[in-house]
Amino acid sequence: MRAGTVRKEFIAGRPSPPGSTRTVLGLRHALLDPVGHVRGGVPGFAPEAAVVLISPRLGAGFVQFLVDLRPGEAGGSGLPGVEGFLYLLAGEAAAELGGQPVLLAAGDFFFTPPGMAWRLRAGACGARAVVFEKPYARRPGISEPPLLVGRTGEVAGLPFLGDPDALLRTFLPEDPSFDMAVNLFEFRPGASLPFVEAHVMEHGLLMLEGRGIYRLEDAWYPVAAGDAIWMAPYCPQWFAALGPTPARYLYYKDVGRHPLEDGRGEGKIA
Ligand code: UGY
Ligand code: MN
């Protein structure tokens, strides 16, 4: 290799050499290289239409999966006591949310309250989506969250901790009814999280655009669009955007519950 050149196969997002993967599975974090995706595991979708990225089998308190629907193909979910959040990554789709019809384009999203059945039918170009599902942690005296539909363009991106180069869009209301958040982070090239976070909430993350470096515990990973990351509670985490274009990621976070409530179903505090 000549000085100053980089072998393509070692750049995140490019094909890995046969027999190698960037996937890392740890006790407190995981990085999932799209090269390793294997389809199946979500009843309600054809086996080839879904890929489970993160689940309790990994140690997480939620599920994160990708959906790829061919034109006209449909699938859905809605388990008892489980709430859902879907973000349409590409294409167009007709959704039925508890029987209510809604048309979605790329960048649109919906939240379904615990137990509400939802179904998605892809439009003429197909549809790609990411879904987060979580058992709802009920709280005495607090009503369940309502059905919600939104569009990325209608949510303001606010400077994160005062940094105009790191814009955060918060898709779900900060209301005690909600026990999950889903946010979209956009970093200009060179921007970063201001410090290494270590917090009680866990994350599921999907890189949507651009590239950067993610610190997870004591390891630093080059990441690019298509990578998924699980961060367990207290996993030290930090991100910096590298490359010529902005980096964007969508992430899940459990919120709004006392740490003594288990966050994995019924709250334990009466
Ligand atoms: O909301 C968060 O905890 C966010 N700042 N974490 C992250 O992007 N890894
Ligand atoms: Mn965080």
Side-chain angles (χ1 to χ4, degrees), residues 160 185 193 197-199 201-203 214 231 235 237-238 249 251-253:
F160 183 63
F185 234 139
L193 287 176
E197 299 178 3
H199 49 65
M201 301 77 86
E202 73 175 329
H203 288 319
Y214 230 106
M231 294 171 239
C235 170
Q237 59 200 255
W238 179 80
Y249 62 72
Y251 71 100
Y252 155 95
K253 184 174 182 174

Side-chain angles (χ1 to χ4, degrees), residues 13-169:
R14 302 271 170 79
S16 309
S20 73
T21 178
R22 293 185 302 109
T23 293
V24 175
L25 301 177
L27 287 177
R28 307 215 64 79
H29 75 263
L31 169 67
L32 296 140
D33 180 346
V35 163
H37 287 178
V38 172
R39 293 175 177 273
V42 187
F45 288 90
E48 65 280 4
V51 180
V52 179
L53 300 169
I54 298 169
S55 79
R57 294 183 179 186
L58 201 56
F62 66 100
V63 169
Q64 178 178 333
F65 62 94
L66 283 174
V67 168
D68 267 307
L69 296 173
R70 288 189 297 251
E73 193 181 5
S77 190
L79 297 171
V82 172
E83 58 197 345
F85 182 99
L86 180 143
Y87 184 91
L88 201 71
L89 297 164
E92 286 178 345
E96 237 185 79
L97 311 175
Q100 199 174 307
V102 177
L103 288 178
L104 302 173
D108 295 348
F109 57 85
F110 65 74
F111 169 86
T112 46
M116 179 179 281
W118 59 266
R119 199 166 166 73
L120 196 72
R121 182 174 294 283
C125 300
R128 184 170 168 81
V130 59
V131 179
F132 301 96
E133 289 185 318
K134 174 188 179 300
Y136 180 61
R138 257 167 247 287
R139 273 195 134 175
I142 303 281
S143 57
E144 286 192 357
L147 171 67
L148 230 142
V149 180
R151 307 185 194 289
T152 299
E154 291 172 3
V155 181
L158 302 178
F160 183 63
L161 300 179
D163 183 355
D165 291 334
L167 296 181
L168 188 68
R169 288 184 166 79

